[in-house]
Amino acid sequence: REEQTEPYQNLNLTHSRPPPPPEHENKFSPPILSDCGFDAMPTVSVGRDRLFDALGKTYEDLEFEELCFRFGIELDDITTEKAIVRKEKHLEVEESSEAEEIIYKIEVPANRYDLLCLEGFARALRIFEEREEIPAFKLASIKHESMLKMHVKPETSQVRPFVVCAVLRGITFDEARYNSFIDLQDRLHQNICRRRTLVAIGTHDLDTLEGPFTYEAGITTFRNQFCSIKAGHAMDYKSWPFDVRKSACKYEVQEKSFRADELMEFYKSDLKLKKFLHIIENSPVYPVIYDRNRTVLSLPPIINSANSAITLQTRNVFIECTATDLTKAVVVLNTMVAMFSGYCGRKFEVEPVEVMYSDGRTFTYPDLSLYDMEVPLSYINDAIGISLEANEVARLLERMQLHATASVSTDNKSNIRVSVPPTRSDVLHPCDVMEDVAIAFGYNEIPKRKPMSLKPLPLNELSDLIRSEIAMTGFTEVLTWILCSYKENFTMLNRKDDKSTAVIVGNPRSADFEAVRTNLLPGILKTIAHNRDHPKPIKIYEVGDVAILDKLKDVGAISRRQLAALYCGANSGFELIHSLVDRIMEVVG
């Protein structure tokens, strides 16, 4: 299987996850996700047999591929675990034997966080096939004085100001569920959490802790909380055979006291943890979560304490998410509890936790309330190109996990009242509802029709006119990248950056794409530089967009269409450029 970065990792062994007890040695293939960029389509890999067990039905490969297409996802590949490993090592793929488990690799939308684990994926398909009702998630009814509390100290505002929490009571883990639980945390970290920079998830065995909890920040000393295996193989823990992993805790450990800043330095040598240190390394304070007895739960977003690590015997799970973005933290917490509350003693029931800030504000999490919106029936039908009654649209939306009923607006127009559950955080606008109706109706079932006559935008009409006129004067059009290097945009043009013009890329993949061009000169000059051996004269032009910073715009910048023409020859060519400008002015009036 593909190597993964685990959520936090545990303090005592620095391995990926605590070893499961010896009695659970059944074979399984937990769902995994390929490492991908933030904007790429995530690929969930899941064992076929376990998926079919969860679906309650078996499919032929082509039949399941058709189901995926109808649901708006894609069966990307059918392979085996050994074949995946051999492909990663660039070895020749051997024919799979019947004993090997078949792995389905399925592409899912990047904003469908509920599809990142087998539990959510199988549930979505069962509801789509109308073999299961939409689950009703609810908060446990407990007295306020019995509710767990999380106290937030004011110093946390300097580093990670938000925290949200929840409790899963009476949960039952087996080995496959346990691994799926851990893997979902990791996939959320890689996706919406932006590698823990926005949100970091911590999960703990509540029975080893005692509330209330405290979320603090400071330069703290941790005694005997952070340990590591003396043997130098802890970082390869996930690649160990299962029987070896079971005995991992038998290794002798070394204990040492650390200040939080010393701990940052200590983990710089850790191959898996060091890539998260930059998130808080330069912070004036370091966040830490304690229970009532001052037992450390976690040092977010780096690592969890060994004292509260969950195991297969865990029955009550405490989940805490610290964040710099509260909205994303709520989405992450809702996703975690919604996917695994089905394994609790009371299905789909979650125990809330009260978060109390030092300024007196209090909030109760998770927020499992439904988000309501009204969508005109005419908008849905017109956008898709179909004609459906309101009740039929409501039925289609139910298949996509959206509660929907027909309603009538004050002006006597037919609407669809949609209630969005916490699992569908991707539904933000009526166009999202319309898209779900199209998926449930079936893209192949949408009748074909000729589109209405479309007129180009006036700006594009003018651009095409200018292109045509310049081409008739003997110039050749070029098309260059809208991104360029910072040096090309300023230094090489003998221009200074006043910090109020250019849009700078925050994390460029290459030095050639550091900024959005503010004019077309870098591109056409670079074209000449790469074609110096071309017969002279060279006459080229470009009509394209540039970006300029603009504080008045909601996105902070504005696009402008520009024209640039260049002559390169034995003489200056001034008269040619001058005549070209005259012709353009004459054409545009």
Side-chain angles (χ1 to χ4, degrees), residues 133-235:
E133 297 292 327
I134 302 173
F137 301 101
K138 61 180 181 180
L139 296 180
S141 179
I142 58 175
K143 295 181 180 180
H144 181 265
E145 55 269 21
S146 301
M147 189 182 300
L148 283 174
K149 308 290 194 299
M150 172 68 79
H151 297 276
V152 182
K153 295 299 180 68
E155 295 80 12
T156 58
S157 62
Q158 302 178 59
V159 53
R160 299 178 76 82
F162 306 111
V163 62
V164 296
C165 312
V167 175
L168 295 177
R169 289 278 185 186
I171 193 169
T172 303
F173 283 121
D174 59 23
E175 189 178 332
R177 292 176 181 179
Y178 176 89
N179 281 277
S180 184
F181 184 75
I182 298 296
D183 288 335
L184 177 60
Q185 296 175 60
D186 184 45
R187 294 311 109 199
L188 290 171
H189 276 150
Q190 295 292 329
N191 194 310
I192 184 176
C193 300
R194 295 297 189 265
R195 298 191 176 95
R196 309 187 193 179
T197 56
L198 299 182
V199 185
I201 311 166
T203 55
H204 312 274
D205 188 336
L206 184 59
D207 295 331
T208 65
L209 304 168
E210 187 177 354
F213 303 97
T214 308
Y215 177 40
E216 305 178 8
I219 304 297
T220 311
T221 299
F222 306 96
R223 183 174 300 278
N224 296 336
Q225 298 286 339
F226 301 86
C227 316
S228 60
I229 293 178
K230 282 189 174 181
H233 308 291
M235 300 314 300

Side-chain angles (χ1 to χ4, degrees), residues 33 83 107 117-118 175 187 203 219 239 241 324 334 409 434 535 586:
L33 196 70
E107 282 192 356
C117 65
L118 174 69
E175 189 178 332
R187 294 311 109 199
T203 55
I219 304 297
S239 63
T324 58
N334 287 347
S409 63
M434 177 272 297
E586 181 182 350

